[in-house]
Amino acid sequence: MNKEKKNILIIGNSEKFITHFKKNFQVKVIPWRKCLVADLDEVNLVKYEFVLLSGFDYSCYKQSLDLALDANVFNPIRMLNKINSTNIVYVNTEKPVKSYTWSRYLYLKNLLNNELINTKKNITSISAPTITDNKKRPLINGGIFTKIIFFILIKSKFVKTITFDELIQLIENRQLQTLKEKNIKPYFLKIHRNQFLDRLLRIILG
């Protein structure tokens, strides 16, 4: 007799996460940009083993900073407040090294991490550097040029990496994590930019 699969909720758009967890779980997916319009009555019909929070609205680079904050920090938290689940796993970016940043991505991911820890009891936060496959090819959002640049940076050991399989192990063997990351000061984040420039600013300036 087949054992009934447990349910998990994935908030985000990662096909790799969705495909992997469908092997062992019943998976419900809410796309990152639909946090405020998802049918939560339907979502709350089942109990979830955990909620996996892994996403980012990349269109926010060319929006106002206020809209970027809503899309990537406050809207996900508003939705989580209405979901009947106590266990949350958040896939964060790599821990900030400096006390400031020129990167919207780093600032918003770090801010969401700290807001989750401030407002949620059972939160596992996983700090993940650049994710790669087992051949050290970057699994990142972006075009071929961006991926080539990151492949060179990885080969040069200029950026830290974690393989997708290693990240999955951290998620599946999750332990309660309540430590906040240090708050970082934003520099010039109101200025619009594209994703590549934001990454470049993070690598060069922090």
Side-chain angles (χ1 to χ4, degrees), residues 96-111:
V97 176
K98 299 179 180 179
S99 61
Y100 59 86
T101 185
W102 295 61
S103 165
R104 277 195 179 190
Y105 182 83
L106 177 58
Y107 176 72
L108 295 170
K109 293 287 282 187
N110 182 77
L111 182 59

Side-chain angles (χ1 to χ4, degrees), residues 48-51 83-88 120-123:
Y48 299 102
E49 180 76 3
F50 65 91
V51 175
I83 291 176
N84 297 332
S85 178
T86 57
N87 299 310
I88 300 169
K120 301 297 177 184
K121 291 182 179 179
N122 298 326
I123 172 76

Side-chain angles (χ1 to χ4, degrees), residues 109-131:
K109 293 287 282 187
N110 182 77
L111 182 59
L112 177 55
N113 176 81
N114 290 347
E115 290 292 325
L116 285 170
I117 291 174
N118 281 336
T119 59
K120 301 297 177 184
K121 291 182 179 179
N122 298 326
I123 172 76
T124 299
S125 178
I126 299 171
S127 295
T130 301
I131 303 170

Side-chain angles (χ1 to χ4, degrees), residues 16-17 91 126-139 154 160-171:
K16 285 192 170 294
F17 280 137
V91 180
I126 299 171
S127 295
T130 301
I131 303 170
T132 70
D133 62 16
N134 290 327
K135 294 183 178 180
K136 291 296 182 181
R137 293 175 296 198
L139 303 175
I154 290 168
K160 296 179 181 179
T161 63
I162 184 172
T163 67
F164 180 76
D165 290 343
E166 290 169 338
L167 179 57
I168 288 296
Q169 287 183 352
L170 290 177
I171 294 171

Side-chain angles (χ1 to χ4, degrees), residues 16-33:
K16 285 192 170 294
F17 280 137
I18 295 167
T19 300
H20 172 83
F21 283 109
K22 277 186 174 179
K23 297 174 185 176
N24 299 310
F25 293 91
Q26 293 286 349
V27 177
K28 174 71 176 178
V29 179
I30 298 178
W32 193 264
R33 296 186 189 182

Side-chain angles (χ1 to χ4, degrees), residues 19-195:
T19 300
H20 172 83
F21 283 109
K22 277 186 174 179
K23 297 174 185 176
N24 299 310
F25 293 91
Q26 293 286 349
V27 177
K28 174 71 176 178
V29 179
I30 298 178
W32 193 264
R33 296 186 189 182
K34 294 187 177 180
C35 285
L36 291 186
V37 298
D39 185 351
L40 297 184
D41 288 336
E42 178 187 345
V43 170
N44 284 325
L45 288 176
V46 298
K47 181 179 180 181
Y48 299 102
E49 180 76 3
F50 65 91
V51 175
L52 178 62
L53 192 64
S54 175
F56 191 80
D57 185 350
Y58 292 96
S59 69
C60 78
Y61 291 119
K62 296 184 179 180
Q63 299 174 347
S64 71
L65 183 57
D66 286 340
L67 287 176
L69 284 163
D70 275 339
N72 292 295
V73 181
F74 302 121
N75 289 349
I77 290 176
R78 291 181 185 116
M79 183 185 63
L80 285 171
N81 288 338
K82 299 176 182 179
I83 291 176
N84 297 332
S85 178
T86 57
N87 299 310
I88 300 169
V89 180
Y90 173 51
V91 180
N92 194 8
T93 189
E94 188 178 7
K95 294 179 180 180
V97 176
K98 299 179 180 179
S99 61
Y100 59 86
T101 185
W102 295 61
S103 165
R104 277 195 179 190
Y105 182 83
L106 177 58
Y107 176 72
L108 295 170
K109 293 287 282 187
N110 182 77
L111 182 59
L112 177 55
N113 176 81
N114 290 347
E115 290 292 325
L116 285 170
I117 291 174
N118 281 336
T119 59
K120 301 297 177 184
K121 291 182 179 179
N122 298 326
I123 172 76
T124 299
S125 178
I126 299 171
S127 295
T130 301
I131 303 170
T132 70
D133 62 16
N134 290 327
K135 294 183 178 180
K136 291 296 182 181
R137 293 175 296 198
L139 303 175
I140 59 174
N141 184 278
I144 186 65
F145 178 73
T146 298
K147 292 180 179 179
I148 290 172
I149 293 296
F150 266 80
F151 183 76
I152 294 171
L153 291 173
I154 290 168
K155 286 296 184 181
S156 304
K157 297 184 178 180
F158 196 78
V159 296
K160 296 179 181 179
T161 63
I162 184 172
T163 67
F164 180 76
D165 290 343
E166 290 169 338
L167 179 57
I168 288 296
Q169 287 183 352
L170 290 177
I171 294 171
E172 293 182 341
N173 299 322
R174 61 196 180 279
Q175 294 180 345
L176 191 64
Q177 171 61 270
T178 57
L179 295 177
K180 291 175 63 176
E181 304 292 353
K182 61 184 178 183
N183 290 318
I184 48 179
K185 183 177 180 180
Y187 280 175
F188 301 104
L189 295 194
K190 289 186 178 181
I191 299 174
H192 297 190
R193 75 283 305 275
N194 59 34
Q195 183 180 349

